[in-house]
Amino acid sequence: MKHLFTLLILFVSALTMAQETTGSIIGVITDKEMNNDPLPFANVQISGATKGTTTDMDGLYEISGITPGTYTIVISFIGYETLQVPNIKVEAGKVTELNTALGAGSVSLDEVVVTTTARRDSETALLLDQKKAVEIKTSIGAQELSRKGVSDAAGAVAKISGVSKQEGSSNVYVRGLGDRYLNTTLNGLSLPSNDVNKKNIDLDLFSSDIIESVSVSKAYSTGQYGDFSAGNIDVSSKVYKGKQMFEIALSESINTNAIGEDFVRSEGTGFFGYYGRYDHNPFAVVLSHGVDPVSVGTPINISYGGSAGKTFEFSDTSRLSIFLTGSFDNKYEYREGSAVDYTLTEKKAFEDNAKEYDYSTTTTGMANVNYRINDQNTLQFNSLFINNSSDVVGYFGTDGKGRSRDAILNTDEGFYQMNVQFDQTQFYVNQLIGTHASGKFKLDWGLGYNVVYSDQPDRKRITLENYQYALDDDTQTNPTFYSNTDFDNQRYFQKIEDEEYNGRFNLAYDLSEAVKFNFGYNARSKTRGFSNIRYGYDIIDTSYPVTDVNNINEDLSLEHLNIADNPDAVYELTVINNIEGQSNTNRPGLAENTYDGKLDIYAGYVNAEINIGKKLLVTPGVRLESFNQEISFDVINLGSLGNSKITSYDNFVLPSLNIKYGLTENQNLRFSASKTVSIPEFKEVAPFVYEDISTRVGGNPDLLEKGFSKIYNFDLKYEWFISPGEIFSISAFTKQINDPVNLVVGADATGTQRYFRTGDKAEVYGVELEARKDILKNSNTSSLLSFGLNGTYMHTKQDLYSQIDGEFYDVSFQKEEDELQGASPFIMNADLNFSPVIGENYKPSMNVVFNYFSNRIDALGSGQLGNIIEKGIPTLDFIWRNEIKDSFQVNLSVRNLFNPSIKYYRETTLGDVVVNSVNGKGVSDYKRGLDIGLQLKYQF
């Protein structure tokens, strides 16, 4: 006991002496970019020493036990400038106070040296934003996108818990709910769709070059549009805040399926994905240009682009930043599989003899101008242009064994089709955004104008019988044109134009330190125009031999057009709607199907952020939203009902409640409850039927007449922010959807898929888990080896009506209940990252990224039909980034290492039958191949 007491005295004496012979530095670091709010998790280090710390949630820090002397203090935060503050004197037994603000722009502190600049798009910064957020949301930033080799927004959201992407398409599912249950915004402003069959813009169009971060809000708050079921996906565009930069990147890659193929694409389309004949009448195009595809040479994917940014400083708080970026990339894919049209019986089948050559391009340009007037006022202008094209040449029945029950000459073999299809989307976005603060008030606002031109010009479809004769050596036997109708051989032209004006503003008022009010308004006015026209080759010489299946241009040349009693006539051109006073044969025509849609939404809301003590934040709110939608259509497939106009008007009162309780400084417990709605989209309502080789899909006007779906949402989440960059969270959620809408396959001769309100209600229950952890750290406490994992388990159930009798369409179900369309019971995303620092200049980063979703319903079967199921698949990517010094990168990627089969099948009493999906590609049961790429990037 005596020895223990002596040791205690010595320890206290030593501690006292240490305190008297050493000093400390304390202070607060604030965020210059966020109105000088406290900046948590900033690093404060003594240059050349191991002593250092990080700021707490209030931006406070302390470094104690410092030997007296003069030091340089280094203050950094990922995404901000690193500041070096020299000549900081530490005296024995005294405290030195150093307070400063950290920002992305230059600063004017005495004796401060700015050494680096960057953007606030790091995983640490986004986790901090997630921690401070009022609502439940998850974000992924540019830094993480680069590390995981993600090239676009669709790939970005697929890395977030509870989110999966459909292989073979750009469809994204959040908590098992697909396109109709999602909203997509850019900088908080709504976006139109680029696809007649989709509500949301294709997220593949947003390349990582223009993305600062992508966030998914899974719990509703009143500032969002009421058409909210599964979540809101918001893409934040890049804003430059550094001094100046210029960056170029070049990459090449190959697809292991495509590299050995003699690739082809549509005639009349260019390498950069443009079509130059929009100004010409489709009839003139048909007469002057053939149907055969053209060769494109070696299928090597290329991507190149550049970015430039510059900041003009006017004062300590005023600056103008300009950021420009542009890129082009293309991709070759080759698919070989099946294309089967099967409802109650087989209608058409190309088993293991369907091939598609897919050439796609994306051209992106963006300009961002950010004017920081002062600490309280900022203006931002974004202008974005995207050109996206898909050029697919499909050959079906290439082995001569294609079958069709409607064939004239031979139903058991020899049925063959060629489909040459080019789609081009040109997308323009213009946004003006402002942020203003004065005393207790803060105003955020935005105005947007968007235009989308989405065209499918000159799709060519050729159908032959007895194709097996093209594969033998007998010149006396040849295939012939199949011509059950005038349009079995056809040219097809389609145009869509969307135009939208939208705006938002939010006025925040700090009533006190404990209470804050938000008053806001959202509005959008959207219009769509759609038209299509077909020209059919009416084969009048049904015995005409097709001697060369690779030269259909010769057979359908003008020399064989039946005009002026042509003795060599093979065909005539026909159109459905003739111009008044003219024939529908060998003459131009009018649009075959048209529809025009208009959507107006105006909403006001109010919510309060109420801090009860230091731990509890309660945010009640209510939104009043006015909804008006109308659609007028003139289509050929509905007889007397085909020319109609339908209007729907309603007002919604949508309450919400978000609660955040801070269990500890780094742990939150969240609860959310809300009422939202789901409204029909144009594509779900317009009864126009789009026909692919083996699928047909159309809208159902009955949906609009029956109004909207009411949805009740509940979330409970626990989150633990272990350290900067590390998190563990678990959440439970449930939804009740009244009057759910599903895509349903009609039990009729055509098997057309349409949208129906299939029952009174659907229920969703689920659990989500997310973890990010550093396994090893280096001497600078930076992550050396880390992993991320998130998974979702869901149970969905909906009741089904036995019979639906609509004004336009009827359907029945033999089941009383089923799972929700698009819902995967299990989703998992995982990644492993190894980032050593070798020497002073070499910083490699190796990443293995894994994704998996389980089987899900692609479309509900009606009557005796079974469901169409999308087979769940695992994917594995390897990305190796090599940063040499701070300006040069050499990156290698190998994607789709498992190379699983992409497969859809219909459940039948006789077993599963491989079929195609309206959401997928033209073939099913195919392997996509590996994508192997090399990228060079240099920043000046």
Side-chain angles (χ1 to χ4, degrees), residues 882-918:
N882 295 275
E883 184 177 329
I884 302 171
K885 295 187 176 180
D886 292 326
S887 56
F888 185 53
Q889 287 185 25
V890 181
N891 304 322
L892 173 70
S893 63
V894 184
R895 304 179 190 277
N896 198 35
L897 282 162
F898 289 154
N899 198 20
S901 293
I902 313 301
K903 184 177 181 180
Y904 299 85
Y905 60 88
R906 180 184 294 288
E907 299 173 323
T908 75
T909 56
L910 301 177
D912 298 335
V913 177
V914 174
V915 294
N916 287 71
S917 165
V918 299

Short mmCIF file of all heavy atoms in Angstrom, two decimals, residues 882-918:
data_model
loop_
_atom_site.label_atom_id
_atom_site.label_comp_id
_atom_site.label_asym_id
_atom_site.label_seq_id
_atom_site.Cartn_x
_atom_site.Cartn_y
_atom_site.Cartn_z
N ASN A 882 -4.19 3.91 -60.17
CA ASN A 882 -2.77 4.17 -59.88
C ASN A 882 -2.50 5.66 -60.01
O ASN A 882 -2.38 6.19 -61.13
CB ASN A 882 -1.88 3.39 -60.84
CG ASN A 882 -2.01 1.90 -60.66
OD1 ASN A 882 -1.36 1.30 -59.81
ND2 ASN A 882 -2.88 1.28 -61.46
N GLU A 883 -2.40 6.34 -58.88
CA GLU A 883 -2.11 7.77 -58.87
C GLU A 883 -0.61 7.96 -58.73
O GLU A 883 0.00 7.53 -57.76
CB GLU A 883 -2.85 8.46 -57.73
CG GLU A 883 -2.67 9.96 -57.71
CD GLU A 883 -3.48 10.62 -56.61
OE1 GLU A 883 -4.55 10.09 -56.27
OE2 GLU A 883 -3.02 11.65 -56.09
N ILE A 884 -0.03 8.59 -59.75
CA ILE A 884 1.41 8.85 -59.78
C ILE A 884 1.62 10.34 -59.60
O ILE A 884 1.17 11.14 -60.42
CB ILE A 884 2.02 8.35 -61.10
CG1 ILE A 884 1.73 6.86 -61.27
CG2 ILE A 884 3.52 8.63 -61.14
CD1 ILE A 884 2.11 6.32 -62.62
N LYS A 885 2.29 10.70 -58.52
CA LYS A 885 2.34 12.07 -58.04
C LYS A 885 0.91 12.52 -57.79
O LYS A 885 0.06 11.76 -57.37
CB LYS A 885 3.10 12.97 -59.02
CG LYS A 885 4.57 12.60 -59.15
CD LYS A 885 5.32 13.60 -60.00
CE LYS A 885 6.81 13.27 -60.04
NZ LYS A 885 7.58 14.22 -60.86
N ASP A 886 0.60 13.79 -58.01
CA ASP A 886 -0.75 14.27 -57.77
C ASP A 886 -1.50 14.59 -59.05
O ASP A 886 -2.63 15.04 -59.01
CB ASP A 886 -0.71 15.54 -56.90
CG ASP A 886 -0.23 15.25 -55.49
OD1 ASP A 886 -0.55 14.15 -54.98
OD2 ASP A 886 0.45 16.12 -54.92
N SER A 887 -0.87 14.32 -60.19
CA SER A 887 -1.48 14.81 -61.43
C SER A 887 -1.73 13.72 -62.46
O SER A 887 -2.45 13.95 -63.43
CB SER A 887 -0.59 15.88 -62.06
OG SER A 887 0.72 15.37 -62.28
N PHE A 888 -1.16 12.54 -62.29
CA PHE A 888 -1.23 11.53 -63.34
C PHE A 888 -1.83 10.25 -62.78
O PHE A 888 -1.49 9.82 -61.68
CB PHE A 888 0.16 11.27 -63.92
CG PHE A 888 0.16 10.32 -65.09
CD1 PHE A 888 -0.65 10.55 -66.18
CD2 PHE A 888 0.98 9.21 -65.08
CE1 PHE A 888 -0.64 9.68 -67.26
CE2 PHE A 888 1.00 8.33 -66.15
CZ PHE A 888 0.18 8.57 -67.25
N GLN A 889 -2.74 9.65 -63.55
CA GLN A 889 -3.35 8.38 -63.15
C GLN A 889 -3.31 7.39 -64.31
O GLN A 889 -3.53 7.77 -65.47
CB GLN A 889 -4.81 8.57 -62.72
CG GLN A 889 -5.01 9.25 -61.39
CD GLN A 889 -6.47 9.29 -60.99
OE1 GLN A 889 -7.27 8.47 -61.41
NE2 GLN A 889 -6.81 10.27 -60.16
N VAL A 890 -3.04 6.13 -63.98
CA VAL A 890 -3.16 5.02 -64.92
C VAL A 890 -4.07 4.00 -64.24
O VAL A 890 -3.70 3.43 -63.21
CB VAL A 890 -1.79 4.38 -65.25
CG1 VAL A 890 -1.97 3.24 -66.24
CG2 VAL A 890 -0.83 5.42 -65.79
N ASN A 891 -5.24 3.77 -64.81
CA ASN A 891 -6.25 2.96 -64.14
C ASN A 891 -6.65 1.76 -65.01
O ASN A 891 -6.79 1.87 -66.22
CB ASN A 891 -7.50 3.79 -63.85
CG ASN A 891 -7.17 5.03 -63.03
OD1 ASN A 891 -6.33 4.98 -62.13
ND2 ASN A 891 -7.82 6.15 -63.35
N LEU A 892 -6.83 0.64 -64.34
CA LEU A 892 -7.22 -0.61 -65.01
C LEU A 892 -8.52 -1.10 -64.39
O LEU A 892 -8.71 -1.03 -63.17
CB LEU A 892 -6.12 -1.67 -64.85
CG LEU A 892 -6.46 -3.08 -65.35
CD1 LEU A 892 -6.53 -3.08 -66.88
CD2 LEU A 892 -5.41 -4.09 -64.86
N SER A 893 -9.42 -1.59 -65.22
CA SER A 893 -10.68 -2.14 -64.71
C SER A 893 -11.04 -3.42 -65.45
O SER A 893 -10.81 -3.53 -66.66
CB SER A 893 -11.81 -1.12 -64.84
OG SER A 893 -12.06 -0.81 -66.19
N VAL A 894 -11.59 -4.35 -64.72
CA VAL A 894 -12.16 -5.58 -65.29
C VAL A 894 -13.54 -5.74 -64.67
O VAL A 894 -13.67 -5.95 -63.46
CB VAL A 894 -11.29 -6.82 -65.00
CG1 VAL A 894 -11.88 -8.04 -65.69
CG2 VAL A 894 -9.85 -6.60 -65.44
N ARG A 895 -14.56 -5.63 -65.48
CA ARG A 895 -15.94 -5.63 -64.98
C ARG A 895 -16.67 -6.90 -65.40
O ARG A 895 -16.37 -7.51 -66.42
CB ARG A 895 -16.70 -4.40 -65.49
CG ARG A 895 -16.01 -3.09 -65.15
CD ARG A 895 -16.80 -1.91 -65.71
NE ARG A 895 -16.05 -0.68 -65.59
CZ ARG A 895 -15.99 0.06 -64.49
NH1 ARG A 895 -16.67 -0.31 -63.41
NH2 ARG A 895 -15.27 1.17 -64.44
N ASN A 896 -17.65 -7.26 -64.56
CA ASN A 896 -18.49 -8.42 -64.82
C ASN A 896 -17.69 -9.72 -64.83
O ASN A 896 -17.83 -10.57 -65.72
CB ASN A 896 -19.24 -8.25 -66.15
CG ASN A 896 -20.43 -9.19 -66.26
OD1 ASN A 896 -21.10 -9.48 -65.27
ND2 ASN A 896 -20.70 -9.65 -67.46
N LEU A 897 -16.85 -9.88 -63.82
CA LEU A 897 -15.96 -11.05 -63.76
C LEU A 897 -16.74 -12.37 -63.70
O LEU A 897 -16.30 -13.38 -64.25
CB LEU A 897 -15.04 -10.94 -62.54
CG LEU A 897 -13.85 -9.99 -62.69
CD1 LEU A 897 -13.28 -9.62 -61.33
CD2 LEU A 897 -12.79 -10.63 -63.56
N PHE A 898 -17.90 -12.40 -63.03
CA PHE A 898 -18.68 -13.63 -62.96
C PHE A 898 -19.36 -13.96 -64.28
O PHE A 898 -19.65 -15.11 -64.56
CB PHE A 898 -19.74 -13.53 -61.86
CG PHE A 898 -19.20 -13.55 -60.46
CD1 PHE A 898 -19.90 -12.94 -59.43
CD2 PHE A 898 -18.00 -14.16 -60.17
CE1 PHE A 898 -19.41 -12.96 -58.14
CE2 PHE A 898 -17.50 -14.20 -58.88
CZ PHE A 898 -18.21 -13.59 -57.86
N ASN A 899 -19.63 -12.92 -65.07
CA ASN A 899 -20.28 -13.08 -66.37
C ASN A 899 -21.52 -13.98 -66.29
O ASN A 899 -21.62 -14.99 -67.00
CB ASN A 899 -19.30 -13.63 -67.41
CG ASN A 899 -19.78 -13.40 -68.84
OD1 ASN A 899 -20.61 -12.54 -69.10
ND2 ASN A 899 -19.25 -14.19 -69.75
N PRO A 900 -22.49 -13.63 -65.46
CA PRO A 900 -23.67 -14.49 -65.31
C PRO A 900 -24.61 -14.37 -66.51
O PRO A 900 -24.53 -13.42 -67.30
CB PRO A 900 -24.33 -13.94 -64.04
CG PRO A 900 -23.98 -12.48 -64.08
CD PRO A 900 -22.59 -12.41 -64.65
N SER A 901 -25.53 -15.29 -66.61
CA SER A 901 -26.54 -15.25 -67.67
C SER A 901 -27.66 -14.28 -67.27
O SER A 901 -28.19 -14.36 -66.16
CB SER A 901 -27.13 -16.64 -67.91
OG SER A 901 -26.16 -17.51 -68.45
N ILE A 902 -28.00 -13.37 -68.18
CA ILE A 902 -29.13 -12.46 -67.98
C ILE A 902 -30.35 -13.17 -68.54
O ILE A 902 -30.43 -13.43 -69.75
CB ILE A 902 -28.91 -11.12 -68.72
CG1 ILE A 902 -27.49 -10.58 -68.45
CG2 ILE A 902 -29.97 -10.12 -68.32
CD1 ILE A 902 -27.18 -10.34 -67.01
N LYS A 903 -31.29 -13.47 -67.67
CA LYS A 903 -32.36 -14.37 -68.08
C LYS A 903 -33.70 -13.95 -67.51
O LYS A 903 -33.81 -13.56 -66.34
CB LYS A 903 -32.03 -15.79 -67.60
CG LYS A 903 -32.99 -16.88 -68.01
CD LYS A 903 -32.48 -18.23 -67.53
CE LYS A 903 -33.40 -19.36 -67.93
NZ LYS A 903 -32.88 -20.68 -67.46
N TYR A 904 -34.74 -14.03 -68.35
CA TYR A 904 -36.13 -13.86 -67.95
C TYR A 904 -36.87 -15.14 -68.32
O TYR A 904 -36.61 -15.73 -69.37
CB TYR A 904 -36.77 -12.67 -68.67
CG TYR A 904 -36.11 -11.35 -68.37
CD1 TYR A 904 -34.99 -10.93 -69.09
CD2 TYR A 904 -36.61 -10.51 -67.39
CE1 TYR A 904 -34.39 -9.71 -68.82
CE2 TYR A 904 -36.02 -9.29 -67.12
CZ TYR A 904 -34.91 -8.90 -67.83
OH TYR A 904 -34.31 -7.71 -67.56
N TYR A 905 -37.79 -15.54 -67.47
CA TYR A 905 -38.55 -16.75 -67.80
C TYR A 905 -39.98 -16.62 -67.30
O TYR A 905 -40.26 -15.88 -66.34
CB TYR A 905 -37.89 -18.00 -67.21
CG TYR A 905 -37.74 -18.02 -65.72
CD1 TYR A 905 -38.77 -18.51 -64.89
CD2 TYR A 905 -36.58 -17.57 -65.10
CE1 TYR A 905 -38.64 -18.53 -63.51
CE2 TYR A 905 -36.44 -17.58 -63.72
CZ TYR A 905 -37.48 -18.07 -62.94
OH TYR A 905 -37.35 -18.10 -61.57
N ARG A 906 -40.89 -17.33 -67.97
CA ARG A 906 -42.28 -17.36 -67.56
C ARG A 906 -42.56 -18.65 -66.79
O ARG A 906 -42.14 -19.73 -67.20
CB ARG A 906 -43.22 -17.30 -68.77
CG ARG A 906 -44.71 -17.33 -68.37
CD ARG A 906 -45.62 -17.36 -69.56
NE ARG A 906 -45.55 -16.14 -70.34
CZ ARG A 906 -46.03 -14.96 -69.95
NH1 ARG A 906 -46.63 -14.84 -68.79
NH2 ARG A 906 -45.93 -13.92 -70.72
N GLU A 907 -43.24 -18.48 -65.67
CA GLU A 907 -43.65 -19.64 -64.89
C GLU A 907 -44.86 -20.29 -65.56
O GLU A 907 -45.87 -19.63 -65.82
CB GLU A 907 -44.01 -19.21 -63.46
CG GLU A 907 -42.86 -18.57 -62.69
CD GLU A 907 -43.29 -18.01 -61.35
OE1 GLU A 907 -44.42 -17.47 -61.28
OE2 GLU A 907 -42.50 -18.11 -60.40
N THR A 908 -44.77 -21.58 -65.85
CA THR A 908 -45.89 -22.32 -66.43
C THR A 908 -46.05 -23.64 -65.68
O THR A 908 -45.16 -24.08 -64.94
CB THR A 908 -45.68 -22.62 -67.92
OG1 THR A 908 -44.70 -23.67 -68.08
CG2 THR A 908 -45.18 -21.38 -68.67
N THR A 909 -47.20 -24.29 -65.89
CA THR A 909 -47.45 -25.58 -65.26
C THR A 909 -46.54 -26.67 -65.81
O THR A 909 -46.36 -27.71 -65.18
CB THR A 909 -48.92 -25.99 -65.46
OG1 THR A 909 -49.21 -25.99 -66.88
CG2 THR A 909 -49.85 -25.01 -64.76
N LEU A 910 -45.97 -26.43 -66.98
CA LEU A 910 -45.07 -27.40 -67.60
C LEU A 910 -43.60 -27.09 -67.33
O LEU A 910 -42.72 -27.75 -67.87
CB LEU A 910 -45.31 -27.44 -69.12
CG LEU A 910 -46.74 -27.82 -69.55
CD1 LEU A 910 -46.86 -27.75 -71.07
CD2 LEU A 910 -47.09 -29.21 -69.05
N GLY A 911 -43.35 -26.10 -66.49
CA GLY A 911 -41.99 -25.69 -66.19
C GLY A 911 -41.72 -24.28 -66.68
O GLY A 911 -42.56 -23.65 -67.32
N ASP A 912 -40.53 -23.80 -66.39
CA ASP A 912 -40.16 -22.44 -66.76
C ASP A 912 -39.79 -22.37 -68.24
O ASP A 912 -39.09 -23.24 -68.77
CB ASP A 912 -38.98 -21.96 -65.91
CG ASP A 912 -39.31 -21.91 -64.43
OD1 ASP A 912 -40.51 -21.77 -64.11
OD2 ASP A 912 -38.39 -22.01 -63.61
N VAL A 913 -40.27 -21.30 -68.90
CA VAL A 913 -39.99 -21.07 -70.32
C VAL A 913 -39.25 -19.75 -70.45
O VAL A 913 -39.71 -18.71 -69.96
CB VAL A 913 -41.29 -21.03 -71.14
CG1 VAL A 913 -40.98 -20.72 -72.60
CG2 VAL A 913 -42.05 -22.34 -71.02
N VAL A 914 -38.09 -19.76 -71.11
CA VAL A 914 -37.33 -18.54 -71.33
C VAL A 914 -38.13 -17.59 -72.23
O VAL A 914 -38.61 -17.99 -73.29
CB VAL A 914 -35.96 -18.84 -71.97
CG1 VAL A 914 -35.23 -17.54 -72.32
CG2 VAL A 914 -35.11 -19.66 -71.01
N VAL A 915 -38.30 -16.34 -71.79
CA VAL A 915 -39.02 -15.33 -72.57
C VAL A 915 -38.23 -14.03 -72.51
O VAL A 915 -37.17 -13.95 -71.88
CB VAL A 915 -40.46 -15.10 -72.03
CG1 VAL A 915 -41.30 -16.35 -72.22
CG2 VAL A 915 -40.43 -14.67 -70.58
N ASN A 916 -38.78 -12.99 -73.14
CA ASN A 916 -38.14 -11.68 -73.14
C ASN A 916 -38.91 -10.71 -72.26
O ASN A 916 -40.08 -10.92 -71.95
CB ASN A 916 -38.04 -11.14 -74.55
CG ASN A 916 -36.99 -11.85 -75.36
OD1 ASN A 916 -37.16 -13.01 -75.74
ND2 ASN A 916 -35.90 -11.18 -75.63
N SER A 917 -38.24 -9.63 -71.89
CA SER A 917 -38.83 -8.60 -71.04
C SER A 917 -38.94 -7.30 -71.81
O SER A 917 -38.02 -6.94 -72.57
CB SER A 917 -37.98 -8.40 -69.79
OG SER A 917 -38.34 -7.20 -69.13
N VAL A 918 -40.04 -6.56 -71.58
CA VAL A 918 -40.15 -5.23 -72.18
C VAL A 918 -39.16 -4.27 -71.54
O VAL A 918 -38.88 -3.20 -72.07
CB VAL A 918 -41.58 -4.68 -72.04
CG1 VAL A 918 -42.57 -5.56 -72.76
CG2 VAL A 918 -41.98 -4.50 -70.58
#
